[in-house]
Amino acid sequence: MGAKVTIIQQEKIITVTKEGREIHLWESGGVTVDGGNPPAPVRSRMIAGKLMMIPIRFAAEMLDTSVQWNAQSRTATIVPKGENDKP
């Protein structure tokens, strides 16, 4: 998606920045986008104390991209918004 991702392990925070937009995701479930608190449909979570999983559709849409899902191949594709929808 062309974003910069910074992980602060001690505080269990992920910061994602792209073109002036800044997203903060806390393991506890808190989310801010450019200082505001949008609803996050799925919580971030820490796995084995090392790896943070974030909801990709939420992150993609907050960074002005979209996610296309191909159920047959079980594949998600991230594309710029406005690009033709192709399965």
PDB file of all heavy atoms in Angstrom, residues 43-61:
ATOM      1  N   ARG A  43     -10.625  -5.874  16.217  1.00  0.00           N
ATOM      2  CA  ARG A  43      -9.496  -5.448  17.041  1.00  0.00           C
ATOM      3  C   ARG A  43      -8.165  -5.910  16.492  1.00  0.00           C
ATOM      4  O   ARG A  43      -8.065  -6.979  15.913  1.00  0.00           O
ATOM      5  CB  ARG A  43      -9.642  -6.090  18.420  1.00  0.00           C
ATOM      6  CG  ARG A  43     -10.056  -5.192  19.485  1.00  0.00           C
ATOM      7  CD  ARG A  43     -10.176  -5.955  20.755  1.00  0.00           C
ATOM      8  NE  ARG A  43      -8.871  -6.110  21.370  1.00  0.00           N
ATOM      9  CZ  ARG A  43      -8.710  -6.369  22.640  1.00  0.00           C
ATOM     10  NH1 ARG A  43      -9.733  -6.530  23.416  1.00  0.00           N
ATOM     11  NH2 ARG A  43      -7.515  -6.488  23.141  1.00  0.00           N
ATOM     12  N   SER A  44      -7.132  -5.123  16.740  1.00  0.00           N
ATOM     13  CA  SER A  44      -5.767  -5.575  16.497  1.00  0.00           C
ATOM     14  C   SER A  44      -5.466  -6.599  17.577  1.00  0.00           C
ATOM     15  O   SER A  44      -6.082  -6.592  18.632  1.00  0.00           O
ATOM     16  CB  SER A  44      -4.785  -4.409  16.646  1.00  0.00           C
ATOM     17  OG  SER A  44      -5.144  -3.371  15.797  1.00  0.00           O
ATOM     18  N   ARG A  45      -4.529  -7.485  17.318  1.00  0.00           N
ATOM     19  CA  ARG A  45      -4.155  -8.424  18.376  1.00  0.00           C
ATOM     20  C   ARG A  45      -2.700  -8.824  18.266  1.00  0.00           C
ATOM     21  O   ARG A  45      -2.139  -8.880  17.180  1.00  0.00           O
ATOM     22  CB  ARG A  45      -5.053  -9.647  18.382  1.00  0.00           C
ATOM     23  CG  ARG A  45      -4.964 -10.470  17.142  1.00  0.00           C
ATOM     24  CD  ARG A  45      -5.932 -11.628  17.215  1.00  0.00           C
ATOM     25  NE  ARG A  45      -5.825 -12.367  15.977  1.00  0.00           N
ATOM     26  CZ  ARG A  45      -6.062 -13.630  15.853  1.00  0.00           C
ATOM     27  NH1 ARG A  45      -6.464 -14.331  16.877  1.00  0.00           N
ATOM     28  NH2 ARG A  45      -5.922 -14.238  14.703  1.00  0.00           N
ATOM     29  N   MET A  46      -2.112  -9.072  19.421  1.00  0.00           N
ATOM     30  CA  MET A  46      -0.718  -9.476  19.520  1.00  0.00           C
ATOM     31  C   MET A  46      -0.674 -11.003  19.555  1.00  0.00           C
ATOM     32  O   MET A  46      -1.472 -11.627  20.252  1.00  0.00           O
ATOM     33  CB  MET A  46      -0.097  -8.900  20.795  1.00  0.00           C
ATOM     34  CG  MET A  46       1.391  -9.127  20.924  1.00  0.00           C
ATOM     35  SD  MET A  46       2.380  -8.131  19.796  1.00  0.00           S
ATOM     36  CE  MET A  46       2.210  -6.501  20.458  1.00  0.00           C
ATOM     37  N   ILE A  47       0.248 -11.576  18.807  1.00  0.00           N
ATOM     38  CA  ILE A  47       0.413 -13.027  18.785  1.00  0.00           C
ATOM     39  C   ILE A  47       1.792 -13.354  19.318  1.00  0.00           C
ATOM     40  O   ILE A  47       2.793 -12.859  18.815  1.00  0.00           O
ATOM     41  CB  ILE A  47       0.243 -13.583  17.360  1.00  0.00           C
ATOM     42  CG1 ILE A  47      -1.179 -13.285  16.881  1.00  0.00           C
ATOM     43  CG2 ILE A  47       0.546 -15.078  17.323  1.00  0.00           C
ATOM     44  CD1 ILE A  47      -1.454 -13.702  15.479  1.00  0.00           C
ATOM     45  N   ALA A  48       1.829 -14.176  20.350  1.00  0.00           N
ATOM     46  CA  ALA A  48       3.080 -14.608  20.986  1.00  0.00           C
ATOM     47  C   ALA A  48       3.920 -13.424  21.467  1.00  0.00           C
ATOM     48  O   ALA A  48       5.127 -13.521  21.559  1.00  0.00           O
ATOM     49  CB  ALA A  48       3.891 -15.501  20.041  1.00  0.00           C
ATOM     50  N   GLY A  49       3.271 -12.300  21.750  1.00  0.00           N
ATOM     51  CA  GLY A  49       3.974 -11.140  22.270  1.00  0.00           C
ATOM     52  C   GLY A  49       4.905 -10.462  21.284  1.00  0.00           C
ATOM     53  O   GLY A  49       5.653  -9.562  21.632  1.00  0.00           O
ATOM     54  N   LYS A  50       4.860 -10.870  20.013  1.00  0.00           N
ATOM     55  CA  LYS A  50       5.807 -10.325  19.038  1.00  0.00           C
ATOM     56  C   LYS A  50       5.155  -9.776  17.784  1.00  0.00           C
ATOM     57  O   LYS A  50       5.632  -8.818  17.207  1.00  0.00           O
ATOM     58  CB  LYS A  50       6.793 -11.418  18.615  1.00  0.00           C
ATOM     59  CG  LYS A  50       7.646 -11.938  19.736  1.00  0.00           C
ATOM     60  CD  LYS A  50       8.566 -13.021  19.229  1.00  0.00           C
ATOM     61  CE  LYS A  50       9.388 -13.590  20.368  1.00  0.00           C
ATOM     62  NZ  LYS A  50      10.263 -14.638  19.931  1.00  0.00           N
ATOM     63  N   LEU A  51       4.095 -10.395  17.341  1.00  0.00           N
ATOM     64  CA  LEU A  51       3.520 -10.063  16.049  1.00  0.00           C
ATOM     65  C   LEU A  51       2.147  -9.445  16.242  1.00  0.00           C
ATOM     66  O   LEU A  51       1.298 -10.011  16.917  1.00  0.00           O
ATOM     67  CB  LEU A  51       3.398 -11.343  15.208  1.00  0.00           C
ATOM     68  CG  LEU A  51       2.755 -11.228  13.843  1.00  0.00           C
ATOM     69  CD1 LEU A  51       3.622 -10.377  12.925  1.00  0.00           C
ATOM     70  CD2 LEU A  51       2.564 -12.607  13.245  1.00  0.00           C
ATOM     71  N   MET A  52       1.925  -8.283  15.671  1.00  0.00           N
ATOM     72  CA  MET A  52       0.628  -7.619  15.783  1.00  0.00           C
ATOM     73  C   MET A  52      -0.126  -7.833  14.475  1.00  0.00           C
ATOM     74  O   MET A  52       0.390  -7.553  13.401  1.00  0.00           O
ATOM     75  CB  MET A  52       0.812  -6.133  16.040  1.00  0.00           C
ATOM     76  CG  MET A  52      -0.455  -5.347  16.062  1.00  0.00           C
ATOM     77  SD  MET A  52      -1.202  -5.087  17.673  1.00  0.00           S
ATOM     78  CE  MET A  52      -0.087  -4.009  18.487  1.00  0.00           C
ATOM     79  N   MET A  53      -1.332  -8.343  14.586  1.00  0.00           N
ATOM     80  CA  MET A  53      -2.206  -8.525  13.428  1.00  0.00           C
ATOM     81  C   MET A  53      -3.183  -7.350  13.415  1.00  0.00           C
ATOM     82  O   MET A  53      -3.741  -7.008  14.451  1.00  0.00           O
ATOM     83  CB  MET A  53      -2.986  -9.831  13.557  1.00  0.00           C
ATOM     84  CG  MET A  53      -2.111 -11.058  13.689  1.00  0.00           C
ATOM     85  SD  MET A  53      -1.330 -11.545  12.158  1.00  0.00           S
ATOM     86  CE  MET A  53      -2.699 -12.200  11.267  1.00  0.00           C
ATOM     87  N   ILE A  54      -3.375  -6.741  12.244  1.00  0.00           N
ATOM     88  CA  ILE A  54      -4.321  -5.638  12.146  1.00  0.00           C
ATOM     89  C   ILE A  54      -5.365  -5.978  11.077  1.00  0.00           C
ATOM     90  O   ILE A  54      -5.090  -6.743  10.159  1.00  0.00           O
ATOM     91  CB  ILE A  54      -3.630  -4.299  11.813  1.00  0.00           C
ATOM     92  CG1 ILE A  54      -3.009  -4.325  10.416  1.00  0.00           C
ATOM     93  CG2 ILE A  54      -2.594  -3.956  12.860  1.00  0.00           C
ATOM     94  CD1 ILE A  54      -2.542  -2.981   9.942  1.00  0.00           C
ATOM     95  N   PRO A  55      -6.562  -5.410  11.191  1.00  0.00           N
ATOM     96  CA  PRO A  55      -7.599  -5.655  10.187  1.00  0.00           C
ATOM     97  C   PRO A  55      -7.230  -4.966   8.871  1.00  0.00           C
ATOM     98  O   PRO A  55      -7.236  -3.742   8.785  1.00  0.00           O
ATOM     99  CB  PRO A  55      -8.865  -5.069  10.806  1.00  0.00           C
ATOM    100  CG  PRO A  55      -8.401  -4.160  11.892  1.00  0.00           C
ATOM    101  CD  PRO A  55      -7.039  -4.608  12.303  1.00  0.00           C
ATOM    102  N   ILE A  56      -6.876  -5.749   7.860  1.00  0.00           N
ATOM    103  CA  ILE A  56      -6.341  -5.204   6.612  1.00  0.00           C
ATOM    104  C   ILE A  56      -7.353  -4.346   5.863  1.00  0.00           C
ATOM    105  O   ILE A  56      -7.005  -3.319   5.306  1.00  0.00           O
ATOM    106  CB  ILE A  56      -5.756  -6.311   5.710  1.00  0.00           C
ATOM    107  CG1 ILE A  56      -4.951  -5.705   4.560  1.00  0.00           C
ATOM    108  CG2 ILE A  56      -6.832  -7.230   5.184  1.00  0.00           C
ATOM    109  CD1 ILE A  56      -3.728  -4.957   4.975  1.00  0.00           C
ATOM    110  N   ARG A  57      -8.623  -4.733   5.858  1.00  0.00           N
ATOM    111  CA  ARG A  57      -9.615  -3.927   5.144  1.00  0.00           C
ATOM    112  C   ARG A  57      -9.708  -2.530   5.779  1.00  0.00           C
ATOM    113  O   ARG A  57      -9.736  -1.524   5.087  1.00  0.00           O
ATOM    114  CB  ARG A  57     -10.986  -4.587   5.134  1.00  0.00           C
ATOM    115  CG  ARG A  57     -12.026  -3.742   4.398  1.00  0.00           C
ATOM    116  CD  ARG A  57     -13.365  -4.439   4.254  1.00  0.00           C
ATOM    117  NE  ARG A  57     -13.279  -5.643   3.473  1.00  0.00           N
ATOM    118  CZ  ARG A  57     -13.317  -5.692   2.134  1.00  0.00           C
ATOM    119  NH1 ARG A  57     -13.424  -4.574   1.448  1.00  0.00           N
ATOM    120  NH2 ARG A  57     -13.249  -6.842   1.503  1.00  0.00           N
ATOM    121  N   PHE A  58      -9.724  -2.477   7.099  1.00  0.00           N
ATOM    122  CA  PHE A  58      -9.783  -1.187   7.795  1.00  0.00           C
ATOM    123  C   PHE A  58      -8.579  -0.327   7.425  1.00  0.00           C
ATOM    124  O   PHE A  58      -8.720   0.832   7.034  1.00  0.00           O
ATOM    125  CB  PHE A  58      -9.835  -1.418   9.308  1.00  0.00           C
ATOM    126  CG  PHE A  58      -9.736  -0.148  10.102  1.00  0.00           C
ATOM    127  CD1 PHE A  58     -10.841   0.673  10.245  1.00  0.00           C
ATOM    128  CD2 PHE A  58      -8.544   0.228  10.689  1.00  0.00           C
ATOM    129  CE1 PHE A  58     -10.757   1.860  10.965  1.00  0.00           C
ATOM    130  CE2 PHE A  58      -8.447   1.403  11.411  1.00  0.00           C
ATOM    131  CZ  PHE A  58      -9.560   2.220  11.550  1.00  0.00           C
ATOM    132  N   ALA A  59      -7.374  -0.900   7.525  1.00  0.00           N
ATOM    133  CA  ALA A  59      -6.158  -0.145   7.212  1.00  0.00           C
ATOM    134  C   ALA A  59      -6.163   0.308   5.753  1.00  0.00           C
ATOM    135  O   ALA A  59      -5.843   1.469   5.450  1.00  0.00           O
ATOM    136  CB  ALA A  59      -4.918  -0.978   7.505  1.00  0.00           C
ATOM    137  N   ALA A  60      -6.544  -0.577   4.843  1.00  0.00           N
ATOM    138  CA  ALA A  60      -6.558  -0.230   3.421  1.00  0.00           C
ATOM    139  C   ALA A  60      -7.523   0.910   3.138  1.00  0.00           C
ATOM    140  O   ALA A  60      -7.176   1.869   2.441  1.00  0.00           O
ATOM    141  CB  ALA A  60      -6.932  -1.460   2.592  1.00  0.00           C
ATOM    142  N   GLU A  61      -8.730   0.824   3.691  1.00  0.00           N
ATOM    143  CA  GLU A  61      -9.713   1.875   3.434  1.00  0.00           C
ATOM    144  C   GLU A  61      -9.312   3.206   4.065  1.00  0.00           C
ATOM    145  O   GLU A  61      -9.569   4.262   3.493  1.00  0.00           O
ATOM    146  CB  GLU A  61     -11.088   1.425   3.899  1.00  0.00           C
ATOM    147  CG  GLU A  61     -11.641   0.332   2.991  1.00  0.00           C
ATOM    148  CD  GLU A  61     -12.949  -0.274   3.461  1.00  0.00           C
ATOM    149  OE1 GLU A  61     -13.417   0.073   4.571  1.00  0.00           O
ATOM    150  OE2 GLU A  61     -13.498  -1.095   2.714  1.00  0.00           O
TER     151      GLU A  61
END
